[in-house]
Amino acid sequence: MKTKGIKKDKVNIVTLGCSKNLVDSEVMLTQLKGNDIHATHESAEDDANIVVINTCGFIDNAKQESVDTILRYVDAKEDGHVDKVYVTGCLSQRYRDDLKNEIPEVDAWFGTMELPMLLKKFNADYKQELLGERITTTDRHYAYLKIAEGCDRPCSFCAIPLMRGKHVSKPIDQILAEARSLVKNGTKEILLIAQDSTYYGLDLYKKRALAELMDRLSDIDGLDWIRLHYAFPTGFPEDVLEVMAAKPNICNYLDIPLQHASTRMLKLMRRGTTREKTTQLLERIREKVPGIAIRTTLIAGHAGETQEDFDEMMDFVEKSRFERLGIFTYSHEEKTHAYSMDDNVPEKIKLKRAEAVMELQESISAEINEGKVGKTFKVLIDRMEGGNFIGRTESDSPEVDNEVIIDASKHYLRVGDFANIKITNSSAFDLYGQPT
């Protein structure tokens, strides 16, 4: 008599949203595999019988993408291709009760801090011995490292505190252990992330400890680049700049989301600063770290934004000449401070204003890139694509910033290695070069 085989569960984790969500998915993947569960991240095979969707709930477009993804896998479940669908992350944290009623086909919903509960669905336990260990899903040569969770800022437009809670810093020793583990496994670049990296240490050490953390990370052998993201401008610890200038493996790069430039709008947004103070901060940053690449993000069409406010933002962008810039259109989010205000800027105007900012930034970026032609830069080679090697300079973070393109038919490079590249040509958002 032939016995029937028992098919072992296979789990596929699908990640939506930001790099902070990606780190959460990597921790989940590590815990599942540590419990001898067959798990993958965004498998191209599409053969998993259990799907865990790590959702984003930041703005309308992200929420819609998350809902669409949930519905796609619910349909797959109804068609018999998937046995179970679990949902976690920010959207689930924020709208769990509503979503349970609207999409009852989902087998279970989990919040942003409920990984141990999710693991119990697999008869698995959260393994403390895996703390600091992480299977990365990015290319092995770079990895995101989360230094804190949550946010204490009162920004009018932001729902992150509703989804992620209060700011909680990760202890320095724990971060160092995780960084050493990543480097041991081949990571050459670490990107420090948090909802608010500026606040790091205030809860644990009763002082801002970001500079100390970066200084100690820079002493790790084999760690070539350390890159800082998501620094809140108000209360920015300027001792970070001293460490950045002194340590060659800390990238001269700063991601500092400013959100607006009009003092009136900054007050409405509850950002705790003014245009004058912001300009002075940028001047000090560039003075203390010559050649630094500053990335910022802005918001177009926040409730109450007038044409005069927007014109001031455009003037600020033109004068500040940011090396890197992105912009969102305002999303009117429930339970935020701004939700009580009239969302009075039409969507068409929001989009038009965002496009105008990016057109201005394109011209600024083109001028900056043109000035790099003929110069040689240390470039980290990320991948091969379309007959070219694609890399990044110290001034560029993966996925969001400029890239360096090298013709693979003429030059051989290894993905994950550094190379000295002479820039031969440029466009608004890319550089072209050849090895020296």
Side-chain angles (χ1 to χ4, degrees):
M1 180 178 176
K2 200 171 184 178
T3 57
K4 185 178 179 182
I6 299 174
K7 183 181 177 183
K8 190 175 181 181
D9 286 334
K10 183 174 181 180
V11 182
N12 186 30
I13 301 168
V14 178
T15 304
L16 301 162
C18 66
S19 55
K20 295 175 282 292
N21 252 21
L22 181 64
V23 170
D24 291 344
S25 289
E26 291 174 344
V27 171
M28 187 193 311
L29 179 65
T30 305
Q31 287 288 334
L32 288 170
K33 288 198 169 189
N35 279 277
D36 295 323
I37 294 165
H38 189 176
T40 59
H41 182 261
E42 300 191 348
S43 170
E45 301 299 322
D46 205 22
D47 59 349
N49 66 310
I50 300 175
V51 177
V52 181
I53 306 166
N54 190 0
T55 58
C56 179
F58 183 49
I59 56 176
D60 286 340
N61 289 343
K63 288 188 285 187
Q64 189 60 54
E65 182 185 17
S66 292
V67 170
D68 290 344
T69 302
I70 295 167
L71 292 175
R72 184 166 74 249
Y73 282 103
V74 162
D75 288 344
K77 178 185 173 185
E78 291 181 345
D79 291 340
H81 301 304
V82 172
D83 295 333
K84 292 186 181 296
V85 177
Y86 298 134
V87 178
T88 186
C90 291
L91 189 80
S92 182
Q93 174 75 30
R94 191 174 177 196
Y95 298 108
R96 179 170 8 196
D97 293 341
D98 292 336
L99 290 166
K100 276 182 180 179
N101 295 326
E102 292 175 13
I103 316 177
E105 299 86 356
V106 169
D107 293 276
W109 303 83
F110 301 93
T112 53
M113 307 299 288
E114 294 178 347
L115 176 56
M117 293 173 62
L118 191 154
L119 290 171
K120 288 187 182 303
K121 290 291 181 181
F122 300 93
N123 295 316
D125 294 320
Y126 186 91
K127 292 185 175 295
Q128 293 292 336
E129 62 267 30
L130 292 176
L131 200 65
E133 298 290 326
R134 180 153 54 90
I135 298 169
T136 57
T137 59
T138 55
D139 293 323
R140 191 175 66 166
H141 56 274
Y142 75 88
Y144 296 98
L145 180 51
K146 191 187 289 190
I147 64 173
E149 184 63 87
C151 186
D152 287 355
R153 304 289 183 176
C155 302
S156 64
F157 52 85
C158 188
I160 285 175
L162 300 173
M163 298 180 284
R164 292 283 177 175
K166 291 281 190 179
H167 179 100
V168 179
S169 299
K170 190 185 292 185
I172 288 178
D173 288 345
Q174 188 177 327
I175 295 171
L176 292 173
E178 188 171 347
R180 291 190 190 102
S181 175
L182 289 167
V183 171
K184 184 179 177 182
N185 290 322
T187 297
K188 297 178 180 179
E189 175 186 14
I190 281 178
L191 302 96
L192 302 180
I193 58 172
Q195 273 77 31
D196 175 10
S197 58
T198 298
Y199 203 86
Y200 178 78
L202 275 173
D203 55 328
L204 271 184
Y205 308 114
K206 310 308 174 190
K207 64 177 184 177
R208 298 185 191 274
L210 184 58
E212 180 186 349
L213 171 64
M214 295 177 70
D215 185 44
R216 294 182 65 183
L217 281 168
S218 71
D219 290 334
I220 295 176
D221 289 337
L223 181 52
D224 294 280
W225 278 357
I226 301 165
R227 189 180 300 279
L228 180 59
H229 279 273
Y230 315 127
F232 197 93
T234 306
F236 178 76
E238 295 187 27
D239 53 352
V240 166
L241 303 175
E242 296 168 13
V243 176
M244 191 179 287
K247 297 284 187 163
N249 61 341
I250 298 179
C251 294
N252 289 344
Y253 177 99
L254 179 63
D255 184 337
I256 184 165
L258 298 175
Q259 312 303 9
H260 217 285
S262 156
T263 295
R264 191 185 79 87
M265 286 308 303
L266 289 168
K267 184 176 181 180
L268 276 180
M269 289 177 159
R270 307 172 88 193
R271 297 287 288 174
T273 190
T274 63
R275 174 172 177 173
E276 183 182 23
K277 288 180 181 178
T278 302
T279 299
Q280 289 170 353
L281 174 61
L282 294 174
E283 288 172 352
R284 289 196 301 275
I285 291 170
R286 285 175 165 149
E287 179 185 346
K288 292 183 178 182
V289 188
I292 190 171
I294 300 178
R295 155 168 275 278
T296 195
T297 49
L298 302 170
I299 296 174
H302 185 283
E305 182 185 73
T306 65
Q307 183 63 43
E308 289 74 20
D309 294 318
F310 175 70
D311 290 343
E312 189 168 350
M313 183 197 288
M314 288 285 284
D315 179 68
F316 175 74
V317 170
E318 186 169 14
K319 289 177 178 173
S320 299
R321 292 182 63 80
F322 293 102
E323 284 75 15
R324 308 288 180 258
L325 183 147
I327 188 164
F328 296 95
T329 55
Y330 170 72
S331 180
H332 206 47
E333 296 295 317
E334 303 98 327
K335 297 184 181 178
T336 62
H337 180 80
Y339 196 67
S340 62
M341 301 169 64
D342 182 16
D343 184 15
N344 60 342
V345 182
E347 196 64 31
K348 186 183 289 187
I349 299 299
K350 292 178 186 177
L351 288 168
K352 185 178 178 182
R353 289 176 179 176
E355 288 167 1
V357 169
M358 286 313 300
E359 283 179 14
L360 173 57
Q361 179 61 26
E362 183 174 356
S363 65
I364 293 168
S365 183
E367 288 178 19
I368 292 172
N369 280 353
E370 190 176 355
K372 294 180 178 180
V373 175
K375 297 178 181 178
T376 299
F377 295 90
K378 181 180 179 181
V379 171
L380 181 56
I381 307 302
D382 277 337
R383 66 190 186 279
M384 187 174 176
E385 179 180 288
N388 295 304
F389 288 105
I390 310 295
R392 291 176 291 112
T393 71
E394 180 182 359
S395 299
D396 301 291
S397 199
E399 299 183 1
V400 295
D401 289 331
N402 293 4
E403 294 179 323
V404 181
I405 300 167
I406 304 107
D407 189 343
S409 68
K410 297 178 181 178
H411 309 284
Y412 176 72
L413 299 166
R414 289 202 317 176
V415 172
D417 279 0
F418 287 96
N420 290 320
I421 304 296
K422 183 177 181 180
I423 306 304
T424 56
N425 202 356
S426 69
S427 63
F429 296 115
D430 287 312
L431 298 170
Y432 300 83
Q434 59 189 30
T436 57

